[in-house]
Amino acid sequence: LVIMGRSGAGKTSMRSLIFANYSAHDTRRLGATIDVEHSTVQFMGDMSLNIWDCGGQHKYLDNYMNEQKENIFGNVEVLIYVFDLETANKDSEYTLYDECINNLGKYSRDAKVYTLVHKMDKIPEPELKEAKLDLYRRALAKRSDLFKPEVFGTSIWDNTLFHAWSQIVRRLVPSMSTIERHLSRFQKLTEATEVVLFERATFLVVCYMTADPGVASNKYMIVSQAIKTYRNKCTVMQSALKSFEMRNRDFSLFIEPFTKSTFILVITTDPEIEPAVTKANIKAAQPHFQDKLLI
């Protein structure tokens, strides 16, 4: 997984927030990336994400596109290109993107391409944000016949970054359709209104099932960000997040450790379902998901 973009676009900040448990405020102390920063992250059990965070200074970019192009763009499964919304020279941004796509086409034709238009918090109005993203979508759609990039608007100051990375990473999980099928069966057997599976380390949303078709996935990204922030606060207090439970007259909510690499969120709205029964169902399902799905 290669992260590319110009210096100052926010590549290292977003990686640190998602994978290194930084807060948005903590990222202010990060310096510029020198050359390529390699890291390996365990995700969903035995899956390893090899992340190459490429420094965006001119001298490094020139090296990536020439002397190191086969090393950088060979055997890539995912390219994440980060556009800086505040960049004054848009033509220069597109030129670099084109070079990345051309090299990717030579050395990793089967790679998936995602583009993040970062620092979207600089545009307060939702309509203007969507209009800006549409401009990027139209411009990028014309630039390559081989790759059809998916475009996300992101910011470290809201849940959009969690939404984008959840969508990207979950598509790398080879057994996702099987996980979704088993989670759907769990939801129906337990009569839960909503069930969400989170990756344990990052708290990114892996998949979810809901009996309410009106529920937007954005809701779970907000929960993802909130729980991760709460867990980081617990760590500061030298404590650990073991579980979370909330009950009122409308619903009961449970967040529990599920498998070695996941947490599960279960929401019930039927008042006749006792909380103890829901927690017992979660515990009973753990060996099945752990041993059969190896997650």
Side-chain angles (χ1 to χ4, degrees), residues 61-246:
L61 292 173
D62 185 63
N63 196 27
Y64 304 153
M65 302 305 158
N66 295 287
E67 288 84 357
Q68 290 194 60
K69 59 185 179 182
E70 188 171 356
N71 181 45
I72 295 292
F73 294 99
N75 300 313
V76 174
E77 288 194 42
V78 172
L79 171 69
I80 299 175
Y81 190 95
V82 183
F83 285 94
D84 185 348
L85 187 66
E86 295 185 305
T87 296
N89 190 347
K90 291 291 191 295
D91 290 338
S92 175
E93 280 270 39
Y94 284 125
T95 298
L96 175 59
Y97 173 82
D98 289 342
E99 290 186 75
C100 291
I101 291 299
N102 289 337
N103 282 318
L104 199 66
K106 292 178 182 176
Y107 301 108
S108 299
R109 294 177 62 87
D110 295 328
K112 302 295 184 184
V113 178
Y114 301 93
T115 56
L116 307 187
V117 183
H118 200 45
K119 305 180 184 178
M120 289 294 287
D121 54 284
K122 303 298 181 181
I123 305 177
E125 297 83 1
E127 297 82 4
L128 293 179
K129 287 183 178 181
E130 192 56 37
K132 178 64 73 173
L133 287 176
D134 280 340
L135 288 175
Y136 276 94
R137 289 186 184 108
R138 290 197 296 271
L140 294 173
K142 301 174 184 176
R143 308 191 85 86
S144 173
D145 294 327
L146 181 59
F147 301 104
K148 302 300 179 186
E150 189 165 354
V151 181
F152 297 94
T154 58
S155 169
I156 63 172
W157 301 105
D158 58 32
N159 64 288
T160 54
L161 190 63
F162 283 83
H163 172 72
W165 276 92
S166 290
Q167 293 299 309
I168 293 168
V169 173
R170 72 185 298 275
R171 291 167 192 172
L172 294 174
V173 179
S175 58
M176 183 55 67
S177 60
T178 303
I179 295 171
E180 289 177 332
R181 187 171 66 253
H182 285 264
L183 196 69
S184 175
R185 186 163 179 262
F186 172 81
Q187 181 223 344
K188 291 172 183 175
L189 288 174
T190 59
E191 298 182 34
T193 306
E194 300 172 56
V195 180
V196 187
L197 207 59
F198 297 98
E199 199 277 328
R200 183 182 284 255
T202 61
F203 244 87
L204 292 174
V205 174
V206 176
C207 61
Y208 65 90
M209 297 293 156
T210 175
D212 182 359
V215 171
S217 63
N218 186 55
K219 167 183 176 180
Y220 304 128
M221 309 306 166
I222 294 171
V223 173
S224 169
Q225 184 185 30
I227 294 298
K228 188 168 185 180
T229 300
Y230 177 71
R231 186 176 64 177
N232 290 346
K233 296 292 184 182
C234 290
T235 301
V236 171
M237 300 299 293
Q238 297 184 333
S239 184
L241 173 62
K242 295 182 178 178
S243 63
F244 182 89
E245 186 174 334
M246 178 187 299

Side-chain angles (χ1 to χ4, degrees), residues 236-272:
V236 171
M237 300 299 293
Q238 297 184 333
S239 184
L241 173 62
K242 295 182 178 178
S243 63
F244 182 89
E245 186 174 334
M246 178 187 299
R247 281 181 272 169
N248 59 32
R249 63 182 183 181
D250 298 318
F251 66 86
S252 295
L253 178 152
F254 308 88
I255 297 177
E256 298 280 344
F258 196 48
T259 67
K260 65 180 181 180
S261 59
T262 63
F263 268 73
I264 194 169
L265 179 150
V266 178
I267 297 176
T268 60
T269 54
D270 186 344
E272 295 187 2

